[in-house]
Amino acid sequence: MTSLEFTNQVQKISYSLKPVAMNLTRDADDAKDLVQETLLKALLNKDKFKAGTNLKAWLYTIMRNTFINNYNKITKRNSNIDSTEYFQYFNTDENYITHNGATSDFVVTDINQAIAGLSADYRTPFMMYYIGYKYLEIAEKLQIPIGTVKNRIHIARKELKDALKVYAPGV
């Protein structure tokens, strides 16, 4: 199937996407955005479509997955969990209770020194992940494969765990 044929077929089917998008989003503007994003993803990934399969189902799947991903992003950003009851029981082990502020200062100093002791190759992706970047975003910013990012973060965690094992419970 040529690009022109693919584009024409997608255009014909695109009119049937809006009612489904409206059903998912319950908002006209959001539905238009969802359809537009679905069509963009379809056109950018036309090489992944297998000729002879159901194009309409493929577009619906893209739309559904896009909607779910967007919904998860929005709910993750807007979730305010009242965790006061949870934190009441958090770290109640005697090893974690500090009776004076100096102890926590030592812990923070040790953590910062352990992080500073990491090689820059491991520290940079680890800190980016720590402040909220996703693996893919880190890979793009550092221009390295995503597998390398995951590996470096794993190694950084392992090295930090070893460097800070004195704070492990039961040691």
Side-chain angles (χ1 to χ4, degrees):
M1 173 182 306
T2 66
S3 292
L4 186 60
E5 290 172 341
F6 179 82
T7 305
N8 287 337
Q9 286 186 3
V10 167
Q11 188 175 12
K12 287 177 189 173
I13 296 172
S14 68
Y15 298 107
S16 66
L17 295 176
K18 184 157 185 191
V20 177
M22 190 64 189
N23 190 26
L24 288 170
T25 62
R26 309 271 189 231
D27 181 69
D29 291 332
D30 290 341
K32 287 178 186 176
D33 290 342
L34 182 59
V35 169
Q36 187 175 16
E37 194 171 350
T38 300
L39 294 175
L40 177 66
K41 286 182 178 181
L43 293 173
L44 290 174
N45 294 299
K46 65 183 166 212
D47 56 316
K48 295 179 182 174
F49 177 72
K50 294 181 179 124
T53 59
N54 189 345
L55 179 62
K56 193 174 192 179
W58 187 68
L59 291 171
Y60 284 154
T61 302
I62 292 172
M63 179 183 289
R64 186 192 71 228
N65 291 342
T66 302
F67 172 76
I68 291 170
N69 290 340
N70 290 341
Y71 178 80
N72 287 338
K73 284 180 190 173
I74 290 169
T75 55
K76 195 177 280 188
R77 274 189 224 135
N78 295 336
S79 65
N80 294 326
I81 300 171
D82 181 20
S83 56
T84 52
E85 186 176 324
Y86 172 74
F87 284 125
Q88 184 176 13
Y89 304 106
F90 188 66
N91 288 343
T92 56
D93 186 349
E94 202 60 43
N95 294 332
Y96 290 104
I97 297 174
T98 59
H99 299 287
N100 99 34
T103 306
S104 63
D105 289 342
F106 285 124
V107 173
V108 171
T109 302
D110 287 349
I111 292 171
N112 288 333
Q113 285 176 348
I115 291 171
L118 291 173
S119 164
D121 288 341
Y122 300 122
R123 183 177 52 247
T124 303
F126 174 79
M127 290 308 295
M128 289 176 76
Y129 183 77
Y130 176 74
I131 61 174
Y133 284 93
K134 304 282 187 242
Y135 289 128
L136 188 58
E137 294 171 327
I138 297 168
E140 289 172 356
K141 287 213 185 257
L142 298 179
Q143 297 178 343
I144 55 176
I146 192 166
T148 304
V149 169
K150 290 179 180 180
N151 186 42
R152 288 181 181 176
I153 292 171
H154 172 76
I155 291 170
R157 286 179 178 157
K158 188 176 176 183
E159 288 183 14
L160 289 172
K161 184 178 176 183
D162 289 342
L164 300 169
K165 65 183 168 194
V166 64
Y167 297 106
V171 175

